Amino acid sequence: MSPTTRSLISRPGPTALWRAVLAAGVLCAIGLLPWLARTDPALTVLKARSADRDPTPEALAAVRDRLGLDAGPLRLLGRWLGDLAHGDAGHSWISGSAVLPSVVQALGVSLLLMAVALTAALGTAALVCARTLWRGAAGRPTGSRTGGVAATLASLPEFLTASVLATVVGVQLGWLPALGWYGPRWLVLPALALGVPAGALLGRLLGDALPGAFAEPWALAASARGLPGRRIARQALRRSFPGLLPNLGLFVVGLTGGSVAVEQIFDIPGLGRLTLQAAIAQDLPVLQAGTLALLLLAAVAGGAARGTARLLLGPVLRDGALSSPHRPGPPARSPLPFAYGAVLLGVVVAGLPRDPLALDTAARLRPPSWAHPFGTDALGRDLLARVGHGALTTLALALAVSAAALLTGVVLGLVPRVSGAAVDTVNAVPPVLAGLLVAGVAGSGPYTPALAVAAVAWAPLAAHAGALLTQERATAHLAATRALGAGPLYLLRHELLPAVLPPVARHALLRLPAVALALASLGFLGLGAQPPSPEWGLLLAENLPYAERAPWAVLAPAAVLALLGALAVAAAGGVRLPGRRPRRGRPARRRSRQPSRHPSRHPSRQPSRQPEPAAPAHGTAAPGSAR
């Protein structure tokens, strides 16, 4: 068995042990949450039970005695784990009811919502990359031109989309119910709010991978032989999809436990909302059981995604016969990044000279005018000034978190045996819970959301890097380079990193708006910047109650977030490694333009060099293709 094969076959024993250690660490951190936050859990539980009751020493002592808090956090955690081994997840500290039935019921609601949202996400992804797929099937592969639309959709905050859908579609038009959870009709609006942004991001990632698949030798040869375009497109999807499946598994967990804001807005009794309420009330048994359910779901989803990826690729992973994905050269220069950047910079520069804290109660909720180009908020403050000043904090934090996530994701993606379980574990922790844990350790402040998002933002990039690395290690050209005497360092610098780093860097740029949205979501839930800060998430949270009366108050920060997404997508298309050219570069493009001339030039080689139509089904390349 080759070293490539051995590196691809994971050992279940150490992997399961490592996963168990990570899960235990998360559960221990949650069990220590009240003590990490330096708060009295008895006082928090007493206020959650009855806000009007005075916290007298006798009342607090009764709560401690009933919950056994005097025994200490470690003994409480050990007792909970011991009961869990016997199928008992304990009783809620607030209601006193059994935890397991409520968690199972909430998990069922979230799984149903996730399934419908995932369907909406896949439909959105299909629409985003449809043009790229159609042109590739017609023999004219090119990058997708729906990047601006996809960026706008992906940059819409989930809580803003949910609020707009609930207000317009649910209340004003009355087409669908806006609140509650009583039947299939109550699923539509929250599923769209969750699925459309996720599908836009997934479609952009797939659209980034498809042109390389259509430019591979097997696709060019199949087109030259006259195979139907739909068959080539189907095999190109099969070739491109395995690299995205780990992120699809992350979407499954994220849509299940990370949809806290959407569940809050639509009053859905899901697992995300349950864990948020338990975290705020410090109801540790409910919080630990809910997190454990998410950890188990993450392990199942991650294992299923990796297994499906290997199944789609076929035996080439075992035989080391996978063709290296086509690496395009630098694209044609486009003015779009400069145009988007100029508009965003103009908004920021125009807002900086204005005072973001100046109050004018006589000008409350004024529409846009020459004096106030973006209008005013509920306190009469100029929205252009607040958007401009908030950009300094929001963009700086988003860029810093994205850079740290890219570096961490690439480094950990190079060791998939270690990062696989870590990615699943980290992704199972909702950003809100991560924010609470970070706030408990580091304290509340304007940088608490950045630390919380940085702790989880590297997971999708590490999953993407690990999937690409697995495929690159199974390529024939890498085996040939190793056979010529190349060492591990040479292979890493000249083969693996050039294949992995550009698409992951483009992925990081595509996720830049998502990082800003995560920061905004924590601010929306009150875990980030506090008033009167002009941070964009806080702007959305403050003005959302006035969306129906003064929509410009919400559209202004939402528009700059969408503009940031469009800028990130446009800039991501130009990310290439400097000095790295595609294999057999220009000659390969000349052959792709006139593929029918090759058989006539070398008729004697035609039987042995002609690839079989079934080759792309396993991701293999033509025997004489360039490596």
Side-chain angles (χ1 to χ4, degrees):
M1 186 180 293
S2 66
T4 300
T5 304
R6 287 196 299 267
S7 66
L8 294 173
I9 300 177
S10 61
R11 299 177 181 177
T15 302
L17 180 61
W18 173 233
R19 190 182 299 275
V21 169
L22 291 174
V26 172
L27 292 176
C28 288
I30 293 173
L32 296 174
L33 179 60
W35 291 269
L36 290 175
R38 293 173 290 277
T39 59
D40 187 358
L43 178 60
T44 307
V45 170
L46 182 64
K47 288 183 178 180
R49 288 179 177 177
S50 178
D52 298 332
R53 187 175 179 182
D54 294 331
T56 61
E58 293 78 11
L60 293 177
V63 172
R64 293 192 187 95
D65 182 66
R66 182 177 179 275
L67 301 180
L69 295 177
D70 293 333
L74 296 181
R75 184 168 297 180
L76 283 175
L77 181 62
R79 185 186 308 165
W80 181 81
L81 291 175
D83 294 339
L84 185 66
H86 295 86
D88 182 12
H91 291 74
S92 170
W93 286 1
I94 307 301
S95 64
S97 59
V99 169
L100 194 57
S102 60
V103 170
V104 171
Q105 182 179 2
L107 178 61
V109 171
S110 293
L111 287 178
L112 180 58
L113 177 60
M114 177 271 297
V116 181
L118 190 60
T119 302
L122 293 177
T124 305
L127 292 176
V128 168
C129 63
R131 186 177 184 275
T132 303
L133 194 63
W134 177 78
R135 289 184 62 88
R140 295 175 294 174
T142 183
S144 174
R145 295 183 182 179
T146 58
V149 177
T152 302
L153 294 176
S155 301
L156 292 176
E158 294 176 352
F159 55 85
L160 176 60
T161 307
S163 299
V164 171
L165 289 176
T167 302
V168 177
V169 180
V171 177
Q172 293 183 349
L173 299 178
W175 291 348
L176 292 168
L179 294 175
W181 186 262
Y182 304 104
R185 296 179 67 244
W186 280 261
L187 274 169
V188 178
L189 294 183
L192 289 176
L194 288 172
V196 170
L201 180 58
L202 183 63
R204 282 300 306 156
L205 292 177
L206 185 58
D208 182 61
L210 279 173
F214 280 119
E216 288 186 356
W218 65 264
L220 301 177
S223 178
R225 292 186 63 179
L227 266 68
R230 61 180 178 274
R231 183 175 179 183
I232 300 175
R234 185 167 60 248
Q235 299 300 339
L237 280 174
R238 184 172 182 175
R239 178 68 179 90
S240 304
F241 213 62
L244 305 180
L245 275 174
N247 273 277
L248 187 60
L250 299 185
F251 279 134
V252 168
V253 183
L255 293 176
T256 304
S259 55
V260 178
V262 174
E263 291 180 355
Q264 285 279 83
I265 292 172
F266 288 101
D267 194 22
I268 298 174
L271 189 60
R273 184 183 179 189
L274 180 67
T275 54
L276 173 63
Q277 293 174 348
I280 294 176
Q282 295 186 356
D283 192 351
L284 295 188
V286 177
L287 182 58
Q288 289 169 329
T291 306
L292 181 60
L294 289 175
L295 291 172
L296 294 176
L297 177 63
V300 173
R306 287 186 287 270
T308 305
R310 295 187 179 186
L311 183 63
L312 286 176
L313 289 174
V316 291
L317 286 179
R318 182 192 65 232
D319 300 334
L322 190 67
S323 63
S324 180
H326 180 76
R327 301 171 191 172
R333 294 183 179 180
S334 172
L336 288 180
F338 301 99
Y340 294 144
V343 173
L344 185 60
L345 181 62
V347 170
V348 174
V349 171
L352 287 179
R354 300 168 177 258
D355 187 358
L357 303 179
L359 300 178
D360 185 3
T361 55
R364 297 176 61 251
L365 299 177
R366 290 284 179 86
S369 61
W370 286 110
H372 305 287
F374 283 2
T376 61
D377 64 5
L379 296 178
R381 294 173 296 191
D382 185 72
L383 282 174
L384 177 59
R386 294 184 65 75
V387 168
H389 284 266
L392 299 178
T393 301
T394 304
L395 293 180
L397 288 179
L399 287 172
V401 171
S402 297
L406 175 61
L407 178 62
T408 306
V410 171
V411 171
L412 292 180
L414 295 178
V415 283
R417 288 184 182 178
V418 176
S419 64
V423 166
D424 295 340
T425 303
V426 168
N427 186 63
V429 180
V432 174
L433 181 56
L436 290 173
L437 290 174
V438 172
V441 176
S444 300
Y447 300 105
T448 297
L451 295 175
V453 175
V456 299
W458 58 269
L461 303 178
H464 193 188
L468 294 177
L469 184 70
T470 298
Q471 296 187 49
E472 189 67 19
R473 281 176 172 172
T475 55
H477 81 86
L478 194 73
T481 306
R482 187 185 294 109
L484 292 175
L489 185 59
Y490 179 90
L491 293 175
L492 179 65
R493 290 184 55 190
H494 297 277
E495 299 295 341
L496 296 179
L497 282 181
V500 172
L501 193 55
V504 177
R506 292 194 292 271
H507 186 180
L509 271 177
L510 293 176
R511 283 194 173 269
L512 176 62
V515 170
L517 291 181
L519 297 172
S521 298
L522 291 176
F524 172 78
L525 295 172
L527 298 177
Q530 300 299 318
S533 171
E535 196 268 334
W536 288 355
L538 188 58
L539 289 183
L540 288 168
E542 289 176 342
N543 296 308
L544 196 57
Y546 309 99
E548 186 176 357
R549 177 183 173 186
W552 56 84
V554 176
L555 290 178
V560 292
L561 279 173
L563 186 61
L564 175 62
L567 173 61
V569 171
V575 174
R576 300 290 186 271
L577 282 184
R580 184 73 179 183
R581 294 184 178 180
R583 301 184 185 278
R584 302 278 299 272
R586 293 184 177 180
R589 285 197 291 268
R590 285 198 296 266
R591 286 198 299 271
S592 65
R593 294 173 184 172
Q594 300 175 346
S596 59
R597 297 182 182 180
H598 284 274
S600 61
R601 290 181 181 179
H602 303 286
S604 60
R605 298 182 183 180
Q606 184 175 352
S608 60
R609 307 285 273 187
Q610 191 71 16
E612 295 295 331
H618 299 296
T620 57
S625 61
R627 298 297 184 192

